[in-house]
Amino acid sequence: MAPSRLLLLLGACSCLAGCEAAAIALLGAGASTALRYNMDGVAARTFTAPASEVRSASLGALERMGMKMDSSTTYEGSEIVYARAQNREIEIELEPITKQATRVRVTARGSSLFYDNATAIEVVQQTGKALDAALTAKVGTPPTAAAGASAASSN
């Protein structure tokens, strides 16, 4: 189906004889978007938590996903954690922005030339869930739940 769309697009662009530059730009923009989606493979998010807590949460996310940490290194103030799954290589960059803010950047490479956006995004999401669980455990019962429980017990 994709080759027929390409032929249709090329045919439509040929009608724009005086606007060749516009037609080429439109074709290039569409192609680069498709390539970026398949080759980028990077997910990033900033968490309001110290780098040590984000590191622990990231390692917990990898463990839950069945991935093994290979090694870690520091580079220009950031820590880079390398992990591996059967057909994936994961790179997690932990960059402290302040004492209470840490940027996480996850790159997931597949076994071929292409990157894996879905896995990179999932590692970031699982890291966020682990941080939320750690915060809930540290603080205890959330205030809204405690207020609801005391109201229910007074009846």
Side-chain angles (χ1 to χ4, degrees):
M1 179 134 184
S4 63
R5 285 184 183 174
L6 182 62
L7 289 175
L8 180 64
L9 186 60
L10 287 174
C13 289
S14 66
C15 296
L16 301 172
C19 300
E20 291 170 359
I24 290 171
L26 287 174
L27 282 173
S32 67
T33 300
L35 267 168
R36 186 178 318 118
Y37 179 77
N38 290 325
M39 294 182 71
D40 194 25
V42 177
R45 180 174 169 194
T46 298
F47 292 102
T48 306
S52 60
E53 290 180 21
V54 176
R55 183 183 195 279
S56 295
S58 296
L59 294 177
L62 290 173
E63 186 177 317
R64 271 192 311 283
M65 295 176 71
M67 297 181 194
K68 304 282 186 202
M69 181 181 137
D70 281 346
S71 63
S72 69
T73 185
T74 56
Y75 178 75
E76 294 183 2
S78 297
E79 180 179 9
I80 302 171
V81 175
Y82 299 96
R84 184 176 304 274
Q86 185 176 357
N87 294 322
R88 299 286 181 270
E89 293 178 7
I90 309 297
E91 182 179 297
I92 302 172
E93 179 183 355
L94 303 162
E95 176 188 1
I97 297 183
T98 67
K99 289 182 181 182
Q100 294 298 318
T102 306
R103 180 177 178 264
V104 175
R105 182 177 180 268
V106 179
T107 306
R109 291 183 186 87
S111 58
S112 64
L113 175 67
F114 294 105
Y115 289 73
D116 182 1
N117 287 335
T119 301
I121 291 168
E122 185 64 17
V123 170
V124 171
Q125 289 176 341
Q126 290 297 321
T127 299
K129 287 179 182 181
L131 282 170
D132 288 343
L135 180 63
T136 302
K138 185 188 290 187
V139 173
T141 308
T144 55
S150 64
S153 63
S154 64
N155 288 336

